[in-house]
């Protein structure tokens, strides 16, 4: 009888499962990232610079890469050359002119990811299933892999609640849950972030200053983007240009009350 042929162990390696793209963190966490990007003055800079300013050693760290990817899916960050910049929608949410528009802006961001738009169409006006069942729906109908389905389901539910589309009755409403309008962004859940360590920038890099003013100038901001080093002559020219373009008004508090 012929001997059994040995089983080969050198065959092709199994292909790694790939999931449909989905936000790996909630809308609230993404807005916290956007706030930090603005406050640290790294809007428009490459991912490595943003990560460094936030205290991350690598852009591949999941607690940085996941919110960065989700921010693009929610339409709050956009690629501009080599950098990531806040979108007009992100700025409208962070600085709403009319607070009554905020819920609609949040729901607009909520529906930006294609997966969330599909779920809104499927679940609109219906009671949303619990995370485990929703995860199975994502697995069977939306090509979310098994290892990611629970996280994807929970992120969607939390984002929908944050945006005001999911209330206590668990019914998903695209137009928003009836009730009083918030006057500011709802609080986002706190997340662990490494301590921020500012490192000296090489002389060839660009620095950015966003200085919020106070007292009589409260609400105004001075924004400067400049090389990390310049000559004294260039600095003097900058001051001269600043004086020409910006009118400096005497504060009434320094002169006493006007009559």
């Amino acid at each position: 009888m012929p001997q059994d042929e040995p089983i080969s162990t050198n065959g092709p390696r199994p292909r790694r499962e790939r999931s449909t793209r989905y936000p790996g963190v909630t809308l609230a966490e993404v807005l916290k990232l956007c706030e930090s990007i603005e406050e640290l003055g790294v809007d428009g800079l490459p991912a490595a610079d943003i990560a460094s300013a936030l205290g991350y050693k690598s852009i591949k760290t999941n607690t940085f890469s996941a919110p960065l990817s989700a921010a693009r899916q929610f339409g709050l960050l956009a690629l501009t050359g080599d950098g990531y910049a806040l979108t007009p929608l992100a700025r409208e949410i962070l600085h709403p002119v009319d607070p009554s528009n905020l819920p609609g802006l949040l729901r607009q961001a909520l529906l930006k990811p294609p997966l969330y738009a599909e779920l809104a169409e499927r679940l609109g006006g219906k009671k949303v299933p619990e995370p485990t069942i929703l995860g199975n729906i994502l697995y069977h109908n939306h090509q979310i892999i098994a290892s990611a389905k629970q996280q994807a389901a929970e992120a969607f539910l939390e984002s929908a609640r944050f945006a005001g589309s999911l209330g206590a009755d668990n019914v998903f409403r695209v137009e928003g849950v009836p009730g009083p309008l918030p006057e500011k962004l709802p609080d986002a859940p706190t997340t662990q972030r490494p301590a921020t360590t500012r490192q000296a920038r090489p002389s060839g890099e660009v620095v950015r200053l966003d200085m919020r003013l106070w007292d009589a100038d409260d609400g105004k901001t001075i924004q400067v983007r400049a090389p990390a080093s310049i000559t004294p002559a260039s600095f003097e020219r900058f001051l001269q240009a600043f004086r020409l373009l910006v009118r400096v008004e005497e504060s009434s508090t320094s002169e006493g009350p006007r009559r």
Side-chain angles (χ1 to χ4, degrees):
M1 296 178 60
Q3 294 183 348
D4 293 338
E5 294 183 2
I7 299 175
S8 173
T9 59
N10 297 323
R13 297 178 64 180
R15 295 179 62 183
R16 183 180 178 182
E17 278 190 294
R18 295 189 66 86
S19 180
T20 295
R21 197 175 183 209
Y22 68 94
V25 299
T26 66
L27 177 58
E29 292 173 88
V30 165
L31 284 170
K32 284 295 183 184
L33 172 66
C34 293
E35 286 180 341
S36 297
I37 286 174
E38 186 177 57
E39 290 172 1
L40 294 171
V42 291
D43 182 18
L45 295 186
D49 291 343
I50 297 174
S52 177
L54 291 170
Y56 296 101
K57 295 181 178 179
S58 170
I59 61 174
K60 295 182 179 179
T61 304
N62 187 61
T63 47
F64 171 73
S65 62
L68 192 71
S69 172
R72 290 188 62 196
Q73 294 180 64
F74 283 120
L76 302 178
L77 280 180
L79 276 174
T80 55
D82 294 331
Y84 289 82
L86 296 174
T87 64
L89 177 59
R91 296 182 186 281
E92 286 186 83
I93 293 174
L94 295 177
H95 308 285
V97 175
D98 184 349
S100 66
N101 293 334
L102 184 57
L105 294 170
L106 291 174
R107 291 193 295 274
Q108 185 179 337
L110 177 70
L111 299 180
K112 288 285 186 181
L115 174 63
Y116 285 14
E118 292 176 12
L119 287 174
E121 184 176 356
R122 178 189 185 99
L123 300 172
K126 301 176 184 176
K127 191 169 184 178
V128 177
E130 61 182 25
T132 301
I133 300 301
L134 180 59
N136 290 337
I137 292 173
L138 294 175
Y139 175 79
H140 289 290
N141 299 331
H142 298 277
Q143 291 73 54
I144 301 296
I145 61 175
S147 59
K149 64 178 185 176
Q150 186 73 14
Q151 179 188 8
E154 291 174 353
F156 171 75
L157 294 174
E158 286 301 318
S159 295
R161 290 191 185 95
F162 180 80
S165 287
L166 190 63
D169 58 0
N170 278 341
V171 174
F172 186 90
R173 296 179 175 87
V174 176
E175 70 283 0
V177 176
L181 299 174
E183 296 183 356
K184 63 177 183 177
L185 283 175
D187 292 331
T190 56
T191 55
Q192 292 290 335
R193 178 176 291 170
T196 302
T197 55
R198 287 304 186 95
Q199 301 176 352
R201 296 173 180 265
S203 59
E205 290 191 11
V206 173
V207 295
R208 183 165 175 166
L209 170 67
D210 291 278
M211 186 174 73
R212 295 179 181 176
L213 303 180
W214 53 92
D215 293 339
D217 289 318
D218 188 33
K220 300 177 182 178
T221 303
I222 293 177
Q223 297 180 320
V224 178
R225 190 166 183 171
S229 64
I230 57 176
T231 64
S234 294
F235 180 65
E236 285 301 321
R237 284 195 293 270
F238 164 74
L239 290 180
Q240 291 172 12
F242 188 87
R243 292 189 184 103
L244 285 172
L245 296 171
V246 179
R247 184 177 68 256
V248 179
E249 299 176 339
E250 292 294 333
S251 173
S252 60
T253 57
S254 62
E255 301 174 352
R258 294 184 177 178
R259 304 184 181 221

